[in-house]
Amino acid sequence: MTLLRVDNLKKYFKKIKAVDGISFEVKKGEIFGLLGPNGAGKSTTISMISTLFKPTSGDIFFKGRSIFENPIEIRKNLGIVPQEIALYPTLSGYENLRFWGNAYGLRGKKLKIRIEEVSEIIGIKDRLKDKVEKYSGGMKRRINIGAALLHKPELLIMDEPTVGIDPQSRKHILDTVLSLNKKGMTVIYTSHYMEEVEYLCNRISIMDKGKIIATGTKDELINIVNGQKVINLKFDKISKELIRKIKDINYISQIEVLDDEIILTTVNENTIFKDIIDKVSETDSNILSIDVKKTNLESVFLHLTGKALRD
């Protein structure tokens, strides 16, 4: 069953095409990933699904009805975990959850029970009485998630929920997402961390420059670059001559140059190392390391856009 359908959605800010004609569906009970670099249009898309922005054109349907004609239906069934921390720092974790519970119409014993349930889910029960300003970044993120869960939403949207936090809190958040999904919650998860989306999501749309450039399961997307290899070459220095020499290898399909690294996509692994070494020997650069990457969503993104998925 399709829970949410985005249909040819566009959002322009003067000359900036933040979202440029995207379409996708989110099925009930799945974790749907929006993968893309910062500035790809993910957060703008989320803002429109949340009814915070009206689109320039296009529509979004929740359970078959336009959310712009009937915003109340999606608002009461939607939990939002925003990219920015939406908490009051001088209040305790408990007081923040109580505030957001009141905003969702929860009161009295029902709210108290729900705060206890949510604090168990986010793993922060023993620190609820502390002020938020004393929390670590990871703990603030957890309370942020808890606030979005209080009213038991049918659809949970998580917009870059692990940015700037420690590995332990990050793992806890990812495990929380999986646990919520196993209990039936539908999740839209946006990230520019490829490994998170690979770990969590049933289906994925890859966004870049306001457009969706591919959609499918992880395996379906990886099949796009089936037979290709991604090779990372690290050098002591990179010159224009070195780049020109490597570009002369005619079976390299993509090349990206970073500070001290060149990332190649190739369909010919058999002779690539010999050919690279031959070309490099004609320059004054030296190879420091060669790393052949396993085909993954990073490979797909590099193949489709000609650049790596990075901050």
Side-chain angles (χ1 to χ4, degrees):
M1 173 188 169
T2 297
L3 186 66
L4 187 85
R5 179 165 63 88
V6 174
D7 185 17
N8 196 27
L9 198 65
K10 297 180 181 180
K11 183 62 178 178
Y12 297 167
F13 298 97
K14 295 184 178 179
K15 295 182 179 180
I16 299 173
K17 296 181 179 180
V19 175
D20 193 16
I22 67 170
S23 298
F24 61 85
E25 293 184 351
V26 179
K27 298 175 183 177
K28 184 175 176 61
E30 76 173 343
I31 304 177
F32 182 85
L34 277 178
L35 175 67
N38 291 332
K42 304 186 303 296
S43 292
T44 303
T45 301
I46 295 308
S47 293
M48 287 187 281
I49 295 173
S50 308
T51 70
L52 296 176
F53 289 168
K54 287 188 175 180
T56 303
S57 63
D59 210 336
I60 302 171
F61 299 90
F62 181 71
K63 296 183 177 180
R65 299 182 66 184
S66 169
I67 68 170
F68 303 110
E69 294 178 2
N70 183 39
I72 294 175
E73 179 66 21
I74 192 169
R75 287 173 184 168
K76 69 182 182 182
N77 288 293
L78 184 64
I80 302 289
V81 181
Q83 192 172 140
E84 301 298 328
I85 301 295
L87 302 172
Y88 292 96
T90 58
L91 298 181
S92 69
Y94 186 91
E95 289 167 334
N96 269 277
L97 291 177
R98 187 174 62 191
F99 171 84
W100 288 110
N102 287 335
Y104 289 124
L106 299 173
R107 299 286 188 277
K109 186 176 180 180
K110 186 176 180 180
L111 175 58
K112 184 178 180 180
I113 291 172
R114 189 57 187 152
I115 290 175
E116 289 177 358
E117 292 172 346
V118 165
S119 65
E120 289 283 358
I121 293 170
I122 60 178
I124 205 168
K125 192 172 183 178
D126 58 336
R127 294 290 304 276
L128 277 182
K129 293 182 179 180
D130 295 346
K131 289 185 177 181
V132 165
E133 62 189 4
K134 295 181 180 179
Y135 287 177
S136 67
M139 291 173 66
K140 291 175 183 176
R141 290 280 177 190
R142 293 192 201 186
I143 290 288
N144 227 28
I145 293 169
L149 298 175
L150 287 165
H151 61 305
K152 298 183 179 180
E154 191 171 351
L155 175 62
L156 179 67
I157 298 179
M158 308 186 79
D159 188 11
E160 305 274 6
T162 64
V163 172
I165 63 173
D166 61 277
Q168 184 178 358
S169 290
R170 185 185 187 199
K171 184 180 185 306
H172 188 280
I173 286 172
L174 297 182
D175 290 344
T176 299
V177 175
L178 289 176
S179 177
L180 291 167
N181 179 247
K182 285 178 181 178
K183 293 175 183 176
M185 187 172 290
T186 304
V187 181
I188 298 176
Y189 192 95
T190 86
S191 182
H192 61 275
Y193 295 134
M194 172 270 298
E195 66 276 12
E196 290 186 359
V197 173
E198 280 193 319
Y199 178 67
L200 292 174
C201 299
N202 308 111
R203 289 189 309 119
I204 303 152
S205 279
I206 298 177
M207 287 192 73
D208 188 41
K209 297 179 180 177
K211 294 182 179 292
I212 287 180
I213 55 178
T215 297
T217 65
K218 174 186 169 182
D219 289 341
E220 287 169 345
L221 292 174
I222 287 175
N223 280 338
I224 293 173
V225 294
N226 194 26
Q228 297 195 355
K229 298 293 181 184
V230 176
I231 301 172
N232 286 33
L233 300 163
K234 188 165 284 190
F235 295 89
D236 59 348
K237 60 182 175 181
I238 294 178
S239 64
K240 290 181 180 179
E241 181 188 17
L242 174 66
I243 296 168
R244 181 175 57 79
K245 291 285 187 181
I246 290 178
K247 284 182 176 179
D248 286 342
I249 302 173
N250 58 19
Y251 53 79
I252 291 176
S253 57
Q254 299 280 359
I255 178 169
E256 186 193 15
V257 181
L258 302 177
D259 294 335
D260 60 350
E261 192 175 24
I262 294 178
I263 304 172
L264 307 176
T265 305
T266 177
V267 294
N268 186 348
E269 190 184 1
N270 294 329
T271 63
I272 182 65
F273 299 115
K274 178 182 180 302
D275 292 342
I276 287 173
I277 290 169
D278 287 345
K279 292 294 184 182
V280 172
S281 68
E282 297 172 6
T283 73
D284 60 354
S285 296
N286 295 300
I287 299 174
L288 300 179
S289 66
I290 299 176
D291 183 18
V292 181
K293 296 290 186 182
K294 180 181 176 182
T295 302
N296 54 25
L297 294 182
E298 184 90 35
S299 312
V300 178
F301 192 82
L302 179 63
H303 173 74
L304 293 173
T305 67
K307 61 187 179 184
L309 180 63
R310 293 171 185 258
D311 286 346

